[in-house]
Amino acid sequence: MTQAIANGRNGQNGYHVDTEPESSSISASSSNASEYGVEGTNGITNGTGNLTLNGNGNGNIRDRMQRKKSSPMMPSFMVSAPGKVIVFGEHAVVHGKAAIAASIALRSYLLVTSLSKSRKTVTLKFPDIDFDHSWRIDELPWAIFQQPSKKKYYYSLVTEIDQELVAAIQPYLADVSPDKPADVRKVHQNSAGSFLYMFLSLGSQSFPACQYTLRSTIPIGAGLGSSATIAVCLSAALLLQLRTLSGPHPDQPPEEARMQIERINRWAYVYEMFIHGNPSGVDNTVSTQGKAVMFQRTDYSKAPDVKPLWDFPELPLLLVDTRTPKSTAHEVAKVGRLKDTHPKLVGSILDAIDKVTQTSAELIAEDDFSTEKEDSLRRVGELMNINHGLLVSLGVSHPRLERVRELVDHQGIGWTKLTGAGGGGCSITLLKPGVPREKLARLEEQLDEEGYQRFETTLGGDGVGVLWPAVLKNGTVEDEEGGMEIDQEKFLNAQGNDGVERLVGVHGGMPGEREGWKFWRVESNPDI
């Protein structure tokens, strides 16, 4: 296993990484006088750790030197991860063909707040789903997770969930949301169980008391990977707290960034396995690395073949949620029955969808492809239209989806297709360059009037990001005092998606420069 790579710059993100995987030792990145119990002495270190005094040197400080070093709490920090959409290849992927999934700029945001040592608790607070629960760290089942045959490390590759460990967690889920309806309680217990499994696998009984508060701008249950974004945020947060990641930082080589991204992704997959059993791993992969992936699963007893598209371009996207309940299983079964009835015909349609997917990947990889060229976007848009038409022939569209296409085509502002299983859910529209604002406004007004939920977003953007510490500079007067600190009260009081984005959003929403968020850069070509 590749060892953790220290970033080579003391103080990067306020921590230093030990390079031995078997060790969890941590060395401080700075030596402040306060760490030696010396305050108000104007003391300096002489390079050997011994303290001398400025001026005449009067005063005996030996008793102060013998004091135990202080251990300040880790500053609050934030982690964010994007949702995803299927761009090409829906349904065909179920039958062994390729599909492409890409990140979107709708994101989840996790605030990690350290608590005083006396608290000795760990808390999950997810206000968007009305979930709030705490555990006493000392009472958790550390003994079984620390057994040599069970113990995992941050670099471990976990490919299945250990049922003995799952059983050990169950007593700690019994009092989670006992007064909630059964379906809500199941969601809360899944979130709690997957977190505890990851927390107990990576942490130890000496883990600092802390609170994890999550807000999301991603519609739940719309096929946009909201569960995976939580998995990625918690995975990255725990690994940062363990100080096993040396990034992200602007000059980090792509190879090093990808190694650390893979570490986050491995543990996000563990979270997803706890909830879903045998997930494809596509959602957490896209959410971790951003950009896009091409994936194909020809043998359902094995994991899919996932090929990262590191240089997938950022494309302007209008995402529309029909707010129509859908059943992925129902739509998949519908196509399966159609294929059984008309095997050659449906097989040729699935082959055509696969050809669209392959052609789109080749198109985007062309040297002269540019998001600023109308011809480049037009060719991608035409492939989206073709893909949608083939899905319609399989019977997986819906009148609400077709209505979005009708409205977009009437305004002539882009190319639209369903995304995901269909039968409701969401559509995506690749917007033409230079769309007049008044045309887009008319479309948005019509969508609002007809009960759709719409999001102007971006396709193929950044993956997991870190705001360390939780301080932003927004071009406001607060910047003169070091920026705006994101505390839990501000975070919890942010109203709706717009409020969260204005407060902490990766892409801003307030006037002036927005500084603070950093990402692991994975592109082969940094100019893309």
Side-chain angles (χ1 to χ4, degrees), residues 124-142:
L124 291 183
K125 186 184 287 288
F126 298 172
D128 297 328
I129 59 171
D130 194 25
F131 175 46
D132 187 346
H133 194 82
S134 297
W135 298 269
R136 292 197 60 80
I137 293 176
D138 288 340
E139 295 174 358
L140 293 173
W142 295 105

Side-chain angles (χ1 to χ4, degrees), residues 243-271:
R243 313 193 185 204
T244 61
L245 301 173
S246 61
H249 55 84
D251 56 350
Q252 190 169 30
E255 295 78 10
E256 180 183 309
R258 292 178 192 175
M259 182 271 289
Q260 296 189 13
I261 283 291
E262 175 60 22
R263 189 174 300 154
I264 296 170
N265 192 33
R266 284 184 177 188
W267 282 101
Y269 185 66
V270 172
Y271 184 106

Side-chain angles (χ1 to χ4, degrees), residues 87-90 100 312 352-366 369 375-391 405 414-418 428 430:
V87 189
F88 296 103
E90 294 92 340
I100 292 177
F312 192 89
I353 292 175
D354 184 58
K355 185 63 176 177
V356 169
T357 302
Q358 303 289 350
T359 301
S360 66
E362 294 167 3
L363 169 61
I364 289 170
E366 291 178 359
F369 181 90
D375 181 65
S376 293
L377 292 182
R378 176 184 56 78
R379 293 165 68 194
V380 174
E382 289 170 347
L383 291 172
M384 291 174 64
N385 281 349
I386 294 170
N387 195 162
H388 181 81
L390 292 167
L391 291 169
R405 281 175 48 83
W415 303 270
T416 301
K417 67 178 289 291
L418 67 83
I428 54 174
L430 177 63

